[in-house]
Amino acid sequence: MAEQVRTLLVVDPSGLERMVPLDRDVFTLGRDPSCTIRIDSPYVSRQHARIELGPGGPVFVDLGSRNGSLVDGQRVQGVVPLAPGSVIRIADVTIRCLAEGPAEPTTRVFALPAAEGEAPDDRLRLDVQNHEVWTGARRLERRLSSQEFELLRLLYENRDRVCSSQELGDAIWGVGNWDRDMLHRLVYRLKRKLEPDPEKPRYIQTVPWIGYRVTP
């Protein structure tokens, strides 16, 4: 019997990965918050596409989206069967069809690449599902608050640039609900828990008058 698709590996433009088990009859994909797999992009329709599980395996259906979808490099017209190895492209998101199931379907682990010539022992990893932070093989013993963890996640997801204080504050507390002292205190608490030496931070760098960034 031919192998069937059991899992979708969703990879966003920043390289973050999400494993989604095919454990229901219908999956919706799109920008709408109600979608099973939500894709937050202006190039994605609110109800963009659907994956249906049938007796012959899963199939992909584009729901008349404005910018279309690709399966294995071909624009989708009608119903397209999916098999292990199939690659779906919706805007700048890639979805790979896998035969194996994930050991922990909802766990997302993000790893910072080691700098050139640097031993990888102190690389930063975030386990979003379990709300854990790892530096190399060591799990951070001091658990982060939800706001501290969210700050670290935002910085990591935008690691290729400096995050302004404005965007960080708006994302964590909401527009108009914060001030720079609140953000400064949050960064201070995060550094105290994360950095081996908070006075000489390894991971979180302050960019004067602009904001903050994560440095590999």
Side-chain angles (χ1 to χ4, degrees):
M1 182 177 178
E3 285 188 312
Q4 295 289 333
V5 177
R6 295 183 56 202
T7 306
L8 302 175
L9 175 62
V10 183
V11 185
D12 76 11
S14 68
L16 302 185
E17 298 181 352
R18 177 162 43 119
M19 299 285 276
V20 180
L22 287 180
D23 56 2
R24 62 186 70 187
D25 292 335
V26 178
F27 287 77
T28 53
L29 301 88
R31 203 175 70 249
D32 194 276
S34 66
C35 288
T36 315
I37 300 176
R38 184 169 182 266
I39 302 174
D40 188 13
S41 168
Y43 303 106
V44 175
S45 300
R46 293 184 67 84
Q47 297 286 338
H48 194 101
R50 186 169 64 237
I51 294 175
E52 302 174 354
L53 295 186
V59 296
F60 183 90
V61 182
D62 188 279
L63 300 177
S65 64
R66 181 175 181 179
N67 293 305
S69 311
L70 301 178
V71 173
D72 295 331
Q74 300 296 315
R75 190 176 180 89
V76 173
Q77 302 286 346
V79 177
V80 178
L82 298 174
S86 294
V87 178
I88 302 165
R89 289 280 298 185
I90 297 178
D92 49 4
V93 170
T94 300
I95 303 174
R96 301 184 182 278
C97 300
L98 307 178
E100 69 272 14
E104 296 184 26
T106 56
T107 296
R108 297 162 62 194
V109 178
F110 308 150
L112 287 170
E116 185 177 354
E118 177 185 52
D121 297 342
D122 62 348
R123 284 185 297 171
L124 186 66
R125 294 186 295 123
L126 279 69
D127 182 339
V128 173
Q129 175 67 19
N130 295 314
H131 210 270
E132 294 178 345
V133 179
W134 295 73
T135 54
R138 181 180 67 87
R139 186 177 67 180
L140 193 67
E141 294 181 0
R142 301 183 67 183
R143 194 169 182 85
L144 302 183
S145 70
S146 59
Q147 288 184 346
E148 291 163 354
F149 195 89
E150 179 66 6
L151 172 61
L152 184 57
R153 185 188 67 80
L154 289 168
L155 290 171
Y156 175 81
E157 290 184 356
N158 297 281
R159 63 192 181 278
D160 58 341
R161 64 180 180 86
V162 176
C163 292
S164 70
S165 297
Q166 186 73 47
E167 65 178 301
L168 292 172
D170 288 349
I172 295 169
W173 289 285
V175 178
N177 296 323
W178 66 282
D179 58 39
R180 292 184 183 274
D181 284 342
M182 291 170 61
L183 180 59
H184 177 77
R185 290 194 296 270
L186 181 61
V187 172
Y188 176 80
R189 293 196 300 270
L190 177 58
K191 285 183 177 181
R192 299 293 294 181
K193 292 181 179 180
L194 177 65
E195 300 286 359
D197 182 356
E199 301 303 320
K200 298 178 181 178
R202 158 71 175 83
Y203 302 108
I204 301 174
Q205 306 296 322
T206 300
V207 182
W209 312 111
I210 300 177
Y212 304 90
R213 73 177 304 164
V214 161
T215 301

